[in-house]
Amino acid sequence: MTTLRDVAERAGVSVSVVSAVLNGSKHVRTSTAVRERVLRIVDEMQYVPNHAARSLRLAKSGLVAGVIPQLGIPVYAEMLRGIQDAAEATGYVLILTEANRILPESNLLRKLVGEGRVDGLLLRSPHTFEVDMKSAKRQYSVVQLDHGTTAADRGGVQLNHRRGARVATDYLIGLGHERIAFVGGTTGYFADDERRVGFREALANAGHDVREEWICPVGFAPKDGYEAALSLLGGAQRPTAMLVSNSTTATGVLGAAADAGIRVPEELSVIGYHDIEAADFTRPALTTLKMPFYELGYAGQSALAAMIDGGARVDEVVDDPAPRVIVRGSTAASP
């Protein structure tokens, strides 16, 4: 079996140089000619890295698990892409499961970490799953994504949702809107709570009243947005704009406006929090707030890999690139 050392000897370079070329590392300087020679020899010798042997040597499985509320939710697509890219860059294989499948009687997390099947967990869920550390056959690390305050033994990577909501609300205020509603999300969950704080701050800073009856934490589904919007649009005085906590929920808001005979954007502006591919294909096309979800996923997996390798616990806020409004057809000047 061809080894890394065999490749290095034939290429006339050190083992570390071959490793750096294969892993795409930027920490070891190599010329283009050396890189091409190494890759050519790897191909000629049909060298395949033995990750299994490495895992045994380091007492690691080489696997990490991501726990996501629902894998089919469009807003998670960019985050998952970031996690997968970082997992590939750090030499891990990612497995995914849905939070709603983790029931007390299933013992799924206990099987994953207690039996040493994964080296670490990425948790992106409003729920905090507790795993009995004493039963684990191996040490494992946990990084929580967008949870707010994290336990002392866990890493945490968050988005600045308060800032995001301010940016979206300020955009609507800049269009002349004063009667703005906030639709969607839940209470008691860090990201949603922070969005509502940012929404209130933006209105207060502009000197506009915050109408608590227009803040509707009804959930995330299109049906939730539809029902809340119908109720708001049927009032004696209706909002002229709505910031929706999730762009999937916003599709229900657009449907409610259409059924109520309210023209978007002439009579009602709608902006969805998080940019999704489907936003281009609603009618009108949905204006969205783009948050750095890809960067959140990448930073979370990078932090997890560092912790697995013995690094310090990470607690950071991903705020670059800054939140920005992607203007499409669902927003316009206040009527």
Side-chain angles (χ1 to χ4, degrees):
M1 179 183 294
T2 302
T3 67
L4 198 68
R5 186 171 297 280
D6 294 334
V7 174
E9 289 178 355
R10 182 164 172 180
V13 296
S14 68
V15 171
S16 63
V17 168
V18 176
S19 179
V21 170
L22 293 177
N23 290 309
S25 173
K26 297 180 181 179
H27 299 292
V28 177
R29 293 184 179 181
T30 56
S31 67
T32 300
V34 168
R35 180 178 179 278
E36 290 177 350
R37 183 167 74 250
V38 168
L39 292 176
R40 175 175 53 79
I41 292 172
V42 164
D43 185 56
E44 290 174 356
M45 300 182 73
Q46 297 183 342
Y47 170 71
V48 177
N50 191 342
H51 292 297
R54 176 179 179 270
S55 295
L56 287 173
R57 184 173 69 254
L58 298 176
K60 295 179 181 178
S61 68
L63 300 174
V64 293
V67 180
I68 310 299
Q70 292 183 35
L71 295 177
I73 296 178
V75 298
Y76 293 136
E78 280 291 283
M79 182 189 71
L80 290 175
R81 189 168 65 86
I83 294 173
Q84 290 172 326
D85 285 352
E88 182 178 345
T90 53
Y92 286 91
V93 174
L94 173 69
I95 60 176
L96 295 169
T97 188
E98 292 186 332
N100 59 8
R101 294 181 179 272
I102 301 176
L103 303 173
E105 60 269 21
S106 72
N107 290 320
L108 178 57
L109 284 187
R110 190 177 301 278
K111 291 175 184 177
L112 288 174
V113 299
E115 298 177 8
R117 300 186 187 186
V118 299
D119 299 322
L121 295 173
L122 278 172
L123 299 180
R124 175 62 171 86
S125 171
H127 309 289
T128 300
F129 300 103
E130 300 300 334
V131 182
D132 186 359
M133 294 285 289
K134 295 179 182 178
S135 68
K137 294 182 179 180
R138 298 177 181 174
Q139 182 68 29
Y140 67 94
S141 300
V142 177
V143 170
Q144 294 175 297
L145 301 176
D146 250 4
H147 277 252
T149 303
T150 56
D153 61 342
R154 297 180 179 183
V157 181
Q158 334 293 343
L159 292 179
N160 192 339
H161 292 286
R162 188 177 301 194
R163 181 185 182 190
R166 285 199 303 263
V167 168
T169 308
D170 284 343
Y171 170 74
L172 293 172
I173 292 171
L175 291 175
H177 294 279
E178 298 182 12
R179 305 199 309 272
I180 307 173
F182 187 99
V183 175
T186 60
T187 57
Y189 175 37
F190 164 76
D192 291 328
D193 291 343
E194 285 292 288
R195 290 170 198 163
R196 283 187 290 273
V197 170
F199 172 73
R200 289 185 175 97
E201 287 178 347
L203 286 176
N205 290 340
H208 300 322
D209 293 333
V210 178
R211 298 185 58 162
E212 293 298 328
E213 68 272 22
W214 284 1
I215 298 178
C216 308
V218 293
F220 302 102
K223 178 177 181 290
D224 300 326
Y226 180 89
E227 292 176 349
L230 273 186
S231 176
L232 290 168
L233 295 173
Q237 185 182 45
R238 64 175 185 250
T240 63
M242 295 185 189
L243 169 57
V244 188
S245 187
N246 182 305
S247 288
T248 303
T249 317
T251 62
V253 172
L254 292 178
D259 287 352
I262 304 297
R263 294 174 300 154
V264 177
E266 293 84 357
E267 297 176 276
L268 176 70
S269 286
V270 179
I271 180 168
Y273 198 99
H274 291 315
D275 189 47
I276 59 175
E277 184 179 6
D280 283 319
F281 304 103
T282 61
R283 291 296 175 267
L286 180 65
T287 295
T288 58
L289 179 80
K290 185 172 180 61
M291 295 291 288
F293 242 46
Y294 173 88
E295 290 75 13
L296 172 71
Y298 200 99
Q301 169 56 29
S302 298
L304 181 61
M307 289 178 65
I308 292 171
D309 289 339
R313 170 183 175 272
V314 173
D315 193 357
E316 66 174 293
V317 175
V318 176
D319 211 7
D320 185 24
R324 64 186 179 93
V325 174
I326 298 181
V327 180
R328 296 188 178 93
S330 66
T331 50
S334 176

